[in-house]
Amino acid sequence: MPGIVFCNVFMQILEDFLDPVRKPVVFLFSGQGSHYYQMGKDLYESHPVFRSQMERGDAIMQALLGRSVLDELYRHPISAPFDDLIISHPALVMVEHALLETLASEGIEPDCVWGSSAGEFVAGIAAGVWSLESALATSVEQATWVARSCPPGGMLAVLGPWSLYESSPVIYKHTVLAGVNFDRHFVVSGSTANLEMVERFLADHGTSYQRLAIPFAFHSSAIDAAREPFLGYCQTLPHFKAPQVRFLSGMTATYLTEVPPTYFWDVVRQPMRFQETLARAEREQPSVFVDCGPAGTSANFIKYNLPPHSESRYFSVLTVFRQGPQNLQLLKQYLAEETLSVEPTR
């Protein structure tokens, strides 16, 4: 009898050890450049939680600006350039927050959050660092000071090896490397005239590029004039709370245990480190990456970064193709099936 008991205990321990572990769910929040008119319209029309959260954000914005972001967002065609920073900055926060709450209503919660550039505003909400009200007010303040204090400029996504930046004087002498997203995709910032020069150079050399709908050179010294007045405003905010969910910084490629007072300035001033940040997450364990941005941008970057043998998976919900409801169902189905696959069978 003691031998049988010992055998049963041993088999129980072995079974627990061999049980597969559910992959952690990582929410990604993209920044400026992933925005466009009509973003989120499909879920706005079909999902009550998304709609109510967008209306909640719009009520906050009307009190701040005396303007409806919803009206601006949904009355223009998707093809129109969305380059009004005072609207696009908070609109991005509204859409990503509404999707965050929509996922929560469907039982999908993050084990980790990861923001890139202005997407860190909503990553901060998801991590419990600050509130929607604070994030929206801060996004308006930041956009206002940049628009008021900084020279016009822009950002350019280059679809070529990022080594091209260092090897091409026309590029590195006239722009700043704003971020590397994968081996053949990097972003530069610069003045309007300098970006036009770089565009001509790239076209002459057969390299594809895309001008982002951003009228200022974020992630460069061109926005430094807005720093002091913006940080002065940040001093009036409630103290940032310690993250309640693992907070992976797209600026430092590290996990944050606290958020410094200058953080929401630094994330739009310092380079974006998407490739490094993903490598950090992958070193730990396979994950389910959920793109909570409006265009599927982060999911696309992950696609081109993951090695062939990776067991991680990636999903986008909102895209320019208006398939949000269908993509949401696919995500729910995958997570439900994964949960069943790791439940003990005793």
Side-chain angles (χ1 to χ4, degrees), residues 270-284:
Q270 300 303 317
M272 299 171 285
R273 299 167 65 181
F274 192 97
Q275 193 173 47
E276 290 180 63
T277 307
L278 178 60
R280 173 62 185 268
E282 276 289 283
R283 283 198 299 270
E284 292 193 353

Side-chain angles (χ1 to χ4, degrees), residues 49 70-71 107 114-115 157 168 172 179 181 203 211 260 273 286 303 322:
V49 172
L70 275 178
D71 287 348
W114 165 12
S168 306
Y172 72 71
N181 295 313
R211 182 77 72 96
R273 299 167 65 181
K303 172 184 176 181
R322 292 175 61 89

Side-chain angles (χ1 to χ4, degrees), residues 11-265:
M11 291 301 296
Q12 182 76 50
I13 294 172
L14 181 63
E15 193 173 311
D16 288 341
F17 177 76
L18 293 177
D19 268 345
V21 178
R22 178 181 69 83
K23 297 183 186 74
V25 175
V26 181
F27 282 8
L28 291 88
F29 301 92
S30 56
Q32 285 275 348
S34 65
H35 66 287
Y36 54 94
Y37 283 123
Q38 302 291 318
M39 57 182 175
K41 184 68 176 294
D42 46 355
L43 282 185
Y44 181 77
E45 294 176 335
S46 64
H47 201 292
V49 172
F50 190 91
R51 185 183 188 96
S52 68
Q53 290 300 320
M54 287 292 287
E55 290 173 347
R56 174 189 170 195
D58 196 53
I60 297 169
M61 288 306 304
Q62 289 193 51
L64 289 170
L65 288 181
R67 299 169 62 184
S68 169
V69 171
L70 275 178
D71 287 348
E72 292 290 328
L73 183 59
Y74 293 145
R75 71 182 176 89
H76 296 281
I78 192 173
S79 57
F82 193 178
D83 56 5
D84 181 352
L85 192 68
I86 306 298
I87 297 298
S88 67
H89 223 42
L92 186 66
V93 173
M94 285 172 53
V95 169
E96 293 188 340
H97 173 263
L99 182 54
L100 170 69
E101 294 297 327
T102 299
L103 292 171
S105 74
E106 299 286 352
I108 304 172
E109 300 277 2
D111 299 297
C112 174
V113 298
W114 165 12
S116 181
S117 190
E120 303 253 20
F121 283 54
V122 187
I125 300 173
V129 168
W130 62 353
S131 66
L132 172 63
E133 290 78 7
S134 292
L136 281 173
T138 304
S139 72
V140 171
E141 195 74 17
Q142 187 175 89
T144 300
W145 281 111
V146 169
R148 182 182 299 170
S149 310
C150 304
M155 301 180 71
L156 188 71
V158 182
L159 281 71
W162 70 270
S163 58
L164 184 65
Y165 178 83
E166 294 181 338
S167 64
S168 306
V170 172
I171 304 179
Y172 72 71
K173 287 184 177 180
H174 298 97
T175 65
V176 172
L177 184 63
V180 176
N181 295 313
F182 56 90
D183 286 341
R184 297 189 61 82
H185 191 289
F186 63 96
V187 180
V188 296
S189 293
S191 68
T192 302
N194 285 351
L195 288 181
E196 290 173 353
M197 183 191 310
V198 171
E199 286 173 339
R200 290 193 295 270
F201 170 81
L202 293 171
D204 290 344
H205 288 77
T207 301
S208 299
Y209 60 87
Q210 181 183 12
R211 182 77 72 96
L212 304 181
I214 305 171
F216 298 94
F218 283 94
H219 304 285
S220 79
S221 61
I223 65 166
D224 282 352
R227 182 181 187 275
E228 291 307 315
F230 174 72
L231 291 182
Y233 168 79
C234 289
Q235 292 177 358
T236 69
L237 295 172
H239 182 71
F240 298 143
K241 298 177 182 178
Q244 305 301 302
V245 177
R246 297 191 82 194
F247 192 161
L248 182 56
S249 169
M251 178 183 70
T252 65
T254 62
Y255 291 96
L256 301 179
T257 56
E258 61 180 4
V259 177
T262 63
Y263 189 73
F264 294 104
W265 171 258

